[in-house]
Amino acid sequence: MLVAFDFDGTLSDSEMTVLLGEQNGTAGDMADITERAMNNEIEYAESLRQRCELLADLPDEQAQAAFDEVRLRPGAGEVIAALREAGHYVAILTGGFERGVEAALEREGVEVDAIVANRLPVVDGKSEADTASEDTSGQRPRVLSGNVRGPLIEGTKDDALEVATAIVGEDREETIAVGDGANDLPMLEVAGLSIGFEPKPAVEPACDVTVSTMDELYVLLEKRDVL
């Protein structure tokens, strides 16, 4: 069986763009844009672009520091490990960023079968030497460009789920999707079992069942004979 998870707001209670925004003072703006997107008040792709534009020129070292703060929810690692031990294919489909997902999984010592996520391009920034005519030998720092790349900007999670099922050879009716926000709606609406993790009001009607903790999710999966 294929089990697809959202990341920010589901497997993790961290919000990556907010953590990144804390590095350059834009966290409040990030949170506002994110909340509007998750409540389906603004198109997700546009909201993501707006948030990433706020990160232009953030040093990559600071971006990595933010990614290193990303954490899985209590119990999330155990759910992932149990699913894989039971022989299920676990995928993370997120509009968040690969580096943050990977950092959180590594910290907990768990692995998944696939991560479909976006990326923040890094470019050469201005060095101090650029503003000092007498010295042109300074090394340029690496900074975020303010752009975003990846399959889950315009692409939607139902498409990503379809690709994953084709790779695994599963029928879509045999899949499980777990999410919380508006950008999870496409996969929640097509999965065989749609689980809302503390879903937003606009999302809950698309969920077959809802949970509010990873322990509840674990018990639910046991009752459904998934674990």
Side-chain angles (χ1 to χ4, degrees), residues 3 5 10-11 73-86 88 110 176 178 193 195-197 209-227:
V3 185
F5 287 95
T10 301
L11 284 177
R73 288 185 186 276
E78 288 81 352
V79 171
I80 293 171
L83 284 168
R84 298 192 76 228
E85 185 175 347
H88 302 302
V110 294
I176 297 173
V178 188
L193 175 62
I195 303 173
F197 192 96
V209 63
T210 65
V211 296
S212 58
T213 68
M214 285 293 154
D215 287 343
E216 286 183 24
L217 177 59
Y218 197 109
V219 170
L220 172 65
L221 294 173
E222 285 184 319
K223 289 180 178 178
R224 298 274 179 155
D225 293 325
V226 177
L227 294 178

Side-chain angles (χ1 to χ4, degrees), residues 12-214:
S12 173
D13 58 5
S14 305
E15 172 53 53
M16 277 187 244
T17 53
V18 173
L19 290 174
L20 289 159
E22 288 174 351
Q23 297 288 331
N24 70 351
T26 61
D29 293 330
M30 294 285 191
D32 290 343
I33 297 170
T34 299
E35 187 66 18
R36 292 177 62 201
M38 292 300 98
N39 284 317
N40 218 16
E41 297 171 13
I42 180 175
E43 186 179 85
Y44 181 78
E46 177 58 26
S47 78
L48 186 58
R49 291 193 185 94
Q50 288 181 14
R51 285 175 282 169
C52 292
E53 286 172 2
L54 295 173
L55 297 172
D57 297 323
L58 178 70
D60 189 49
E61 286 185 2
Q62 290 180 242
Q64 188 58 52
F67 290 135
D68 288 341
E69 292 182 41
V70 180
R71 301 286 188 272
L72 295 183
R73 288 185 186 276
E78 288 81 352
V79 171
I80 293 171
L83 284 168
R84 298 192 76 228
E85 185 175 347
H88 302 302
Y89 187 97
V90 178
I92 293 175
L93 312 181
T94 176
F97 310 112
E98 286 178 345
R99 287 165 65 186
V101 174
E102 290 168 352
L105 293 174
E106 183 177 354
R107 175 178 290 274
E108 292 292 325
V110 294
E111 297 180 351
V112 296
D113 297 286
I115 299 171
V116 180
N118 294 323
R119 302 175 301 281
L120 294 174
V122 179
V123 298
D124 287 334
K126 292 182 178 181
S127 68
E128 292 183 4
D130 292 330
T131 58
S133 59
E134 69 276 7
D135 180 7
T136 58
S137 61
Q139 184 176 359
R140 293 173 182 269
R142 301 286 283 168
V143 301
L144 300 189
S145 68
N147 296 320
V148 59
R149 298 284 184 268
L152 290 175
I153 303 170
E154 298 291 351
T156 52
K157 293 188 181 183
D158 56 334
D159 296 328
L161 186 65
E162 192 70 33
V163 170
T165 56
I167 291 171
V168 180
E170 294 279 0
D171 291 331
R172 197 165 62 184
E173 292 74 18
E174 297 299 316
T175 61
I176 297 173
V178 188
D180 73 305
N183 66 322
D184 298 318
L185 276 170
M187 72 171 181
L188 291 170
E189 289 172 342
V190 301
L193 175 62
S194 301
I195 303 173
F197 192 96
E198 294 189 322
K200 301 294 189 294
V203 177
E204 188 167 356
C207 301
D208 297 314
V209 63
T210 65
V211 296
S212 58
T213 68
M214 285 293 154

